[in-house]
Amino acid sequence: MYKNILVPTDLSDKSKLSIQAALELAAEHSACVKLLHVVEKMGGEPDDEIEDFYLKLAEKASEKLVDWQQQFQAEFKGVPIDKTILVGKRTHEILGFCQEKEIDLIVLTSRIFNQETQGVGTVSHQVALLAPVSVLVVR
């Protein structure tokens, strides 16, 4: 049923719950899990200093995702785990990646929603509402 399962992650330990759930589904369906971290881009035109900052954040994120790949690969030997780091607006990049990579399911971790401070909701809330595919929200 599923071939490509996307797990957008903010790199928090809570994200491991979503990765675990995605890998269990992937093992059941002979699917691939794609880990995605989006470095949030600030508004305005970036200069060289900001671009270097984004690059450093992306490098740190990549290191963490490689650690997670190795950790989970030991438990789920037959499940391919890919990783991608993007820079941009999180919801926009997640939805674009979903269409570009023919994602069948998005598995993500829920966040506490505070309407006063977050306006239209958390990234997980926005993705769940706007995604063109099924979304599994892990609490």
Side-chain angles (χ1 to χ4, degrees), residues 5-8 12-25 105-112 122 124-125 128 135-139:
I5 301 173
L6 174 62
V7 183
S12 69
D13 284 341
K14 192 173 180 185
S15 293
K16 288 182 176 181
L17 298 172
S18 296
I19 297 169
Q20 180 81 28
L23 286 165
E24 289 171 6
L25 285 168
L105 175 69
I106 301 172
V107 179
L108 45 73
T109 306
S110 69
R111 296 286 177 238
I112 296 171
T122 62
S124 58
H125 181 239
V135 177
L136 172 61
V137 180
V138 178
R139 301 205 182 278

Side-chain angles (χ1 to χ4, degrees), residues 65-111:
L65 290 183
V66 166
D67 288 345
W68 283 357
Q69 275 180 302
Q70 292 171 349
Q71 175 187 344
F72 283 108
Q73 211 61 84
E75 186 177 349
F76 294 92
K77 294 185 187 324
V79 179
I81 305 172
D82 299 331
K83 70 170 183 61
T84 302
I85 310 293
L86 298 174
V87 176
K89 296 296 180 184
R90 289 186 178 117
T91 302
H92 176 78
E93 295 296 335
I94 291 167
L95 297 175
F97 186 89
C98 182
Q99 290 181 331
E100 179 182 317
K101 300 297 182 181
E102 299 179 354
I103 299 299
D104 306 304
L105 175 69
I106 301 172
V107 179
L108 45 73
T109 306
S110 69
R111 296 286 177 238

